[in-house]
Amino acid sequence: MKLAFFYGNLLRGGAQRVMSELANQFTAWGDEVILLTLDKGSCEYKLDPRVRVQGLDVAGDSANKLESLTRLAKTLKALRSWERRERPDAVICFSTHLSFQLDLALAGCRDRCRIIASERANPRYRDNEPLEALECRSLEKLDGFIFQTQRVSELFPQSLREKGRVIHNGLFSGDIPKTVTEYSQRDSRSICAMGRLDYQKAYDTMIRAFALFAREHPEHTLNIYGRGRDGAADKLGQLAQELGVGGRVIFHGNLPDVLEHIKDAGMFLMTSRYEGMPNALMEAMACGLPCVCTDCDFGPGELIEDGVSGLLSPVDDAETIAAAMARIADEPGLGEKLSRGALEIRRSHSREEICRQYHSYIEEIVSKKKVET
């Protein structure tokens, strides 16, 4: 197959990492792969030399609606010209917004080129905005659709779900340790968390839960890896001081080798108010960490089987989160059981397995095209 993956850029990010990994693996399997971007085509990921990166050079901000329409027309023209030159079997677009533009641009050549879109975030459609409503309707004309989670798929029309496929994120990070520390050898007093210091991640709830837990577990520390806007860590640190755990909540900032710092911890916390398919949780599970996570929309409940591979708690419920932490600390054998269950993600979400699922689905869509024509 000749395939293209399409996104705004190839800078560091979740969608860009997935595109790069898929491109490398598909190329190894014998496909011809192009990474197509709106910018000039610079890439911050290591690629197989056979993967081609092509930039349309149409990216930019628009100051008003007229500029926005002018840029849209330029983008559509560039996409049409690119398709006529490359003639791919399919384009996999990692943005529903860009898939709308792609559908407009390639309307005259859909007999030879399939369009598959992938939702990478939490979709929320506002019907009072005509453009978004138009984009929603255009999705149903696509040849295929890849959802990150089952819960996300349920927000889309039935007709799109029927031709779509749920494929989770994979363990694409090269930083995941090759070996896993036995649970009995871990630092059971170290609790860790990682992610941006912002409202979504609910570190305020996490610190409140830790303060409740710490009343009966004074030997534990909470190690937080991540950075937020200016003053975010100071504000959370002040909350920890007010709750009497200021010296036991430690903010480490962003570290390039964060998994090396958390892989031997005794517990991992994620208290998010909402998620997509959280890579941080997946990587913590791949390290064999017993995880306590909120059952927020959309991904955690599909990664964790409660009581088997982690513990799930309601969103913003500090008392229940603290009780789950206490179970891991106090119940003999529970931490080891959850650690073993979490490690199953190394098989179910391995790079090879997720790439295989993508390839199988894309091949199915392309094969349908050939039969129809």
Side-chain angles (χ1 to χ4, degrees):
M1 295 184 293
K2 184 174 183 178
L3 305 172
F5 293 95
F6 179 40
Y7 196 60
N9 59 67
L10 287 171
L11 305 178
R12 291 282 172 178
Q16 296 93 325
R17 178 195 283 180
V18 174
M19 288 173 58
S20 300
E21 293 290 342
L22 291 174
N24 286 337
Q25 185 59 67
F26 285 16
T27 298
W29 285 339
D31 295 308
E32 182 180 352
V33 181
I34 297 169
L35 294 180
L36 181 67
T37 68
L38 290 177
D39 65 5
K40 294 183 179 181
S42 60
C43 181
E44 296 186 355
Y45 288 90
K46 185 177 181 180
L47 298 174
D48 185 301
R50 293 168 292 181
V51 175
R52 289 188 289 151
V53 178
Q54 297 179 343
L56 297 175
D57 195 14
V58 294
D61 296 324
S62 300
N64 51 57
K65 289 185 177 180
L66 179 59
E67 283 189 17
S68 179
L69 289 173
T70 301
R71 188 174 301 280
L72 174 60
K74 183 179 179 181
T75 300
L76 298 183
K77 181 179 179 181
L79 284 167
R80 291 190 192 102
S81 176
W82 171 83
E83 193 283 332
R84 285 194 296 268
R85 183 173 65 253
E86 294 294 342
R87 299 291 184 100
D89 292 307
V91 180
I92 301 90
C93 186
F94 276 69
S95 161
T96 52
H97 175 65
L98 290 181
S99 71
F100 167 66
Q101 298 183 22
L102 195 62
D103 178 58
L104 288 177
L106 306 189
C109 58
R110 295 295 296 282
D111 59 327
R112 63 174 181 256
C113 178
R114 289 308 197 222
I115 298 176
I116 302 169
S118 178
E119 175 59 55
R120 312 307 300 174
N122 291 348
R124 285 290 184 265
Y125 297 131
R126 297 186 291 274
D127 293 335
N128 61 329
E129 295 193 13
L131 182 57
E132 290 196 6
L134 182 61
E135 290 182 4
C136 282
R137 289 194 295 272
S138 78
L139 293 180
E140 298 189 55
K141 298 189 296 179
L142 299 179
D143 300 292
F145 202 93
I146 297 171
F147 306 99
Q148 281 197 105
T149 71
Q150 184 63 38
R151 291 184 185 181
V152 163
S153 74
E154 293 167 1
L155 300 179
F156 288 80
Q158 178 66 26
S159 59
L160 194 60
R161 297 202 302 270
E162 289 175 352
K163 60 184 175 183
R165 185 72 53 83
V166 174
I167 304 178
H168 288 176
N169 280 353
L171 292 169
F172 292 140
S173 173
D175 296 329
I176 295 171
K178 302 298 183 185
T179 59
V180 178
T181 304
E182 292 289 336
Y183 184 75
S184 60
Q185 302 301 312
R186 294 179 177 277
D187 182 0
S188 61
R189 299 166 300 175
S190 175
I191 301 171
C192 60
M194 57 181 175
R196 298 183 312 278
L197 305 184
D198 62 15
Y199 174 81
Q200 174 192 345
K201 303 298 182 180
Y203 282 105
D204 54 335
T205 300
M206 183 185 296
I207 291 171
R208 294 181 192 281
F210 177 74
L212 293 172
F213 168 83
R215 293 174 183 174
E216 303 296 329
H217 304 84
E219 70 281 8
H220 286 71
T221 59
L222 174 59
N223 296 277
I224 298 175
Y225 299 88
R227 190 163 49 214
R229 295 180 181 275
D230 290 343
D234 292 339
K235 185 176 180 180
L236 291 169
Q238 183 176 349
L239 174 62
Q241 289 283 358
E242 293 170 357
L243 295 172
V245 290
R248 292 157 62 189
V249 177
I250 305 165
F251 296 91
H252 297 273
N254 277 348
L255 297 177
D257 55 347
V258 62
L259 294 186
E260 281 297 312
H261 291 269
I262 74 166
K263 66 183 179 64
D264 296 331
M267 196 185 311
F268 178 83
L269 297 184
M270 176 172 279
T271 54
S272 300
R273 295 182 169 103
Y274 57 91
E275 284 288 348
M277 176 56 66
N279 287 314
L281 176 60
M282 294 174 64
E283 291 169 2
M285 294 174 70
C287 290
L289 289 168
C291 298
V292 175
C293 185
T294 47
D295 191 14
C296 61
D297 289 338
F298 290 97
E302 295 184 32
L303 293 170
I304 288 178
E305 182 180 354
D306 191 33
V308 176
S309 52
L311 297 178
L312 294 171
S313 298
V315 173
D316 275 328
D317 188 338
E319 291 186 359
T320 304
I321 295 167
M325 295 165 64
R327 286 188 61 194
I328 294 175
D330 299 338
E331 291 184 24
L334 179 60
E336 185 174 1
K337 174 187 176 182
L338 297 179
S339 178
R340 289 197 307 270
L343 284 171
E344 173 62 17
I345 201 169
R346 284 185 172 239
R347 181 197 62 80
S348 62
H349 291 70
S350 69
R351 177 184 183 277
E352 294 75 15
E353 173 59 21
I354 298 304
C355 286
R356 184 196 63 76
Q357 291 182 28
Y358 267 93
H359 195 270
S360 176
Y361 179 62
I362 295 167
E363 193 172 45
E364 178 184 316
I365 297 299
V366 171
S367 295
K368 285 181 181 178
K369 179 196 78 169
K370 292 178 178 177
V371 170
E372 291 168 2
T373 55

